[in-house]
Amino acid sequence: MDREAREYYEVIIQAKDMGGQLGGLAGTTTVNVTLSDVNDNPPRFPQKHYQMNVLESSPVNSTVGRVLAMDLDEGINAEMKYSIIDGDGMDMFDVSTDPTYQVGVITVKKPLNFENKKSYTLKIEGANLHLEVRFLSLGPFRDTTSVHINVEDVDEPPVFESNFYFVEISEDADLGTTIQIVSAKDPDATNNSIRYSIDRNSDPGRYFYVDITTGALMTARPLDREEVLWHNITILAMEMNNPSQIGSVPVTIKVLDVNDNAPIFTKFYETFMCENVKAGQLIQTVSAIDQDDPQEGQHIYYSLAPEAVNNPNFTLRDNQDNTAWILTRRSGFSQAEQSTFQIPILIADNGQPMLSSTSTLTIQVCSCDDDGDIMSCNAESYTLPISLSRGALIAILACIFVLLVLILLILSMRRHRKKPYTIDEDDNVHENIVRYDDEGGGEEDTEAFDIAAMWNPREAHVGKSRQDMQPEIESLSRYVPQTCMMNNNVHSYMLAKLYEADTDVCSPPFDSLQTYMFEGEGSVAQSLSSLQSLSTDSDQSYDYLTDWGPRFKKLAEMYGAKDNNGSL
């Protein structure tokens, strides 16, 4: 049987009783038969020769093409392994097996160069991985094919002779000095002419210049090692016939040091010296720095300038460690005689040629206490003009002080002077009658007290209410008689304000001396004001709170009659 020819069979089986005689009964069933595969078919390439092309610029591991050896078997019996067994491209190409589709994938193993070699030939073998000994006689379970690969030429950018350049140049080199010659060529067969330039992004200061035809790298500006020690530039090579093809190479330039900077003090020294200093006492340690970097290391020398060598007041000692001491030669300095001394110090380096600079050290004489702590370094504060005595100075200061006190007193009296009591439209008396500390809304609660209504009571709006809160207490205005013996305007205004207070639980009670003459009149609850609430010595009765309804139940419980134990 051959599974590759026919894989499925359907067999119908019949069973009869009575030995199959006439009149017997019979039954049938169907049997499906599926053949399982065995590795009895060797792989075969459908063609013995393949032709492929690849660009010389193709990167490593890029795919060149695919080959497939056909195997009629399936599953593990059709698994393949491809390999290169011969050919001149064994070092340049590689082949691998795709486990999904069982094809051989040819890839680039090394960079290609059309100018070096234009074509390659490979002999590829495909073989089964799983063999069965009983079918080995059916032939070798492997097959071979040849692959011819042509390398196609592409226009490549110029290539420099070196992948990297390192150059050293002295910082005192003259302008136009050639420091390096770079060379590049066109790798293509056409060998186009090359033009050189510098990537200005790598040399923003334009310190260097490269000759467009020769590739000579030269200085274009003076170099300063203390300013820029390293320069990293990129030189470009471009084909004349195809400007899009550009090659590049990095160039690192180190600027070598020359002794062109004199040493200077590391910082500004502010030196103070006591009047009672002793001879030979150290008053300052100075140090200097040299921006240059000699190969043998820095060594700085200190000495007094020629004009200060015979200085009778101070001397200098070089410590031979790039520092120096400033010492006194005598004692008995006086701040009144001379408060400041200036010492010129000569600082020199050990470079070739030797460079030096002169820095001035300023020393200020100060008065000190017995412990040597500085009290004052201002000589003027201890001396007075000859024409002005100490008593006269004190008198002048006293007069100035008295004058200042009088000015402050006058200003204070003017500020606290009371204004005349006048009533006009701009100054309302209702805002100034009483100032007391009551738990009201305060001046910021502009909705609880409308002063504009007091100016013109006829314009009071009875229907005004705050919308941010819902009323929680029952209005007491129904208890107020409408025929009160008072001015109608004021009565209307009070009813309007009472309605606003009833509908706004956040509004303080309208209860002040501004309306004291009408407070509580006609109300069954009498006055609820906190004013003069402490004027009586007798206990106040709150039993009437129980008559006001459920909304005042909590207040009635808190302030109602006391029980026998004295608890509320």
Side-chain angles (χ1 to χ4, degrees), residues 34-109:
T34 302
L35 299 181
S36 59
D37 184 55
V38 295
N39 191 9
D40 58 348
N41 293 278
R44 293 291 180 265
F45 285 101
Q47 60 188 69
K48 291 298 182 181
H49 182 75
Y50 290 87
Q51 187 77 23
M52 299 182 183
N53 299 320
V54 61
L55 297 176
E56 65 172 333
S57 60
S58 299
V60 176
N61 295 326
S62 61
T63 300
V64 178
R66 291 174 173 80
V67 294
L68 174 62
M70 304 298 296
D71 192 337
L72 298 178
D73 297 320
E74 64 180 12
I76 62 173
N77 296 321
E79 292 182 359
M80 304 290 297
K81 179 182 179 182
Y82 297 91
S83 59
I84 301 175
I85 60 176
D86 197 5
D88 56 359
M90 296 181 64
D91 296 334
M92 305 301 296
F93 300 94
D94 197 3
V95 64
S96 59
T97 303
D98 185 349
T100 303
Y101 300 101
Q102 299 299 320
V103 298
V105 182
I106 302 174
T107 57
V108 178
K109 187 177 182 179

Side-chain angles (χ1 to χ4, degrees), residues 270-319:
E270 188 176 10
T271 305
F272 300 96
M273 179 184 67
C274 294
E275 291 180 318
N276 57 358
V277 69
K278 298 179 181 179
Q281 183 173 338
L282 173 65
I283 60 174
Q284 183 66 62
T285 301
V286 296
S287 61
I289 187 173
D290 190 350
Q291 294 183 359
D292 296 318
D293 187 19
Q295 296 181 355
E296 60 275 11
Q298 288 187 355
H299 188 77
I300 299 176
Y301 303 94
Y302 301 88
S303 62
L304 292 177
E307 63 272 18
V309 172
N310 298 321
N311 190 306
N313 301 313
F314 304 95
T315 184
L316 182 145
R317 178 185 298 174
D318 192 341
N319 297 325

Side-chain angles (χ1 to χ4, degrees), residues 124-234:
I124 298 179
E125 179 186 73
N128 282 143
L129 291 177
H130 306 280
L131 302 178
E132 295 189 24
V133 179
R134 54 179 175 164
F135 298 114
L136 293 179
S137 59
L138 298 179
F141 285 82
R142 64 184 66 241
D143 195 14
T144 60
T145 186
S146 62
V147 180
H148 185 78
I149 301 175
N150 293 320
V151 180
E152 297 180 353
D153 186 26
V154 295
D155 194 1
E156 299 175 281
V159 179
F160 285 89
E161 293 181 352
S162 176
N163 295 328
F164 178 80
Y165 290 94
F166 176 76
V167 184
E168 293 181 340
I169 182 174
S170 177
E171 63 176 325
D172 61 349
D174 297 331
L175 297 181
T177 302
T178 300
I179 60 177
Q180 180 69 43
I181 296 178
V182 296
S183 178
K185 65 178 182 178
D186 184 6
D188 299 320
T190 55
N191 195 16
N192 293 322
S193 299
I194 305 298
R195 293 293 180 265
Y196 301 94
S197 62
I198 296 178
D199 184 359
R200 287 307 172 188
N201 292 327
S202 63
D203 184 26
R206 298 182 179 271
Y207 288 96
F208 303 97
Y209 166 79
V210 64
D211 187 88
I212 192 173
T213 56
T214 63
L217 182 61
M218 298 172 286
T219 58
R221 283 182 54 188
L223 303 177
D224 188 357
R225 187 202 69 88
E226 289 72 34
E227 181 180 352
V228 182
L229 175 59
W230 296 89
H231 295 269
N232 296 287
I233 65 174
T234 301

Side-chain angles (χ1 to χ4, degrees), residues 325-340:
W325 288 352
I326 307 299
L327 309 172
T328 58
R329 282 193 173 187
R330 66 177 180 89
S331 59
F333 291 91
S334 175
Q335 186 182 24
E337 295 178 358
Q338 185 174 354
S339 61
T340 304

Side-chain angles (χ1 to χ4, degrees), residues 257-539:
D257 182 51
V258 296
N259 192 29
D260 57 350
N261 292 279
I264 58 175
F265 278 153
T266 55
K267 63 179 182 179
F268 173 76
Y269 289 99
E270 188 176 10
T271 305
F272 300 96
M273 179 184 67
C274 294
E275 291 180 318
N276 57 358
V277 69
K278 298 179 181 179
Q281 183 173 338
L282 173 65
I283 60 174
Q284 183 66 62
T285 301
V286 296
S287 61
I289 187 173
D290 190 350
Q291 294 183 359
D292 296 318
D293 187 19
Q295 296 181 355
E296 60 275 11
Q298 288 187 355
H299 188 77
I300 299 176
Y301 303 94
Y302 301 88
S303 62
L304 292 177
E307 63 272 18
V309 172
N310 298 321
N311 190 306
N313 301 313
F314 304 95
T315 184
L316 182 145
R317 178 185 298 174
D318 192 341
N319 297 325
Q320 302 298 319
D321 60 353
N322 295 336
T323 64
W325 288 352
I326 307 299
L327 309 172
T328 58
R329 282 193 173 187
R330 66 177 180 89
S331 59
F333 291 91
S334 175
Q335 186 182 24
E337 295 178 358
Q338 185 174 354
S339 61
T340 304
F341 294 89
Q342 293 184 342
I343 304 176
I345 300 176
L346 183 66
I347 310 172
D349 60 17
N350 61 331
Q352 296 296 330
M354 178 180 290
L355 298 179
S356 63
S357 65
T358 301
S359 299
T360 301
L361 178 66
T362 301
I363 303 175
Q364 192 168 355
V365 181
C366 304
S367 60
C368 305
D369 56 15
D370 296 337
D371 297 331
D373 297 328
I374 296 176
M375 298 176 57
S376 175
C377 296
N378 188 5
E380 288 75 7
S381 61
Y382 292 91
T383 61
L384 295 174
I386 299 176
S387 60
L388 188 62
S389 64
R390 187 182 301 274
L393 180 61
I394 295 175
I396 293 174
L397 294 177
C399 292
I400 294 174
F401 176 76
V402 172
L403 182 60
L404 292 176
V405 171
L406 290 176
I407 293 174
L408 294 176
L409 182 59
I410 293 173
L411 294 177
S412 178
M413 293 177 63
R414 288 185 177 181
R415 182 177 299 177
H416 293 83
R417 180 178 298 172
K418 295 184 178 180
K419 296 182 181 180
Y421 182 76
T422 58
I423 301 177
D424 54 15
E425 294 182 356
D426 297 331
D427 190 8
N428 194 343
V429 68
H430 292 284
E431 294 181 324
N432 302 308
I433 293 179
V434 174
R435 307 287 184 181
Y436 66 97
D437 295 333
D438 192 12
E439 294 185 0
E443 295 178 357
E444 295 181 358
D445 191 354
T446 59
E447 294 187 36
F449 182 79
D450 189 3
I451 192 64
M454 293 294 292
W455 293 340
N456 190 0
R458 297 182 181 274
E459 295 180 1
H461 299 284
V462 179
K464 180 180 177 182
S465 62
R466 290 174 57 167
Q467 301 298 325
D468 55 341
M469 298 295 294
Q470 295 296 329
E472 294 184 3
I473 62 175
E474 184 178 0
S475 173
L476 300 177
S477 60
R478 63 179 180 270
Y479 295 103
V480 180
Q482 300 299 320
T483 58
C484 295
M485 301 301 296
M486 61 182 70
N487 184 279
N488 291 332
N489 292 335
V490 177
H491 182 241
S492 299
Y493 171 74
M494 292 301 299
L495 289 179
K497 285 302 172 183
L498 182 60
Y499 178 81
E500 288 184 23
D502 290 340
T503 57
D504 187 357
V505 296
C506 295
S507 175
F510 192 81
D511 198 10
S512 68
L513 288 180
Q514 296 162 346
T515 56
Y516 68 93
M517 63 181 297
F518 309 113
E519 182 179 0
E521 184 174 347
S523 173
V524 297
Q526 300 301 320
S527 176
L528 298 179
S529 173
S530 60
L531 300 176
Q532 299 179 351
S533 59
L534 301 179
S535 60
T536 176
D537 295 335
S538 61
D539 294 336

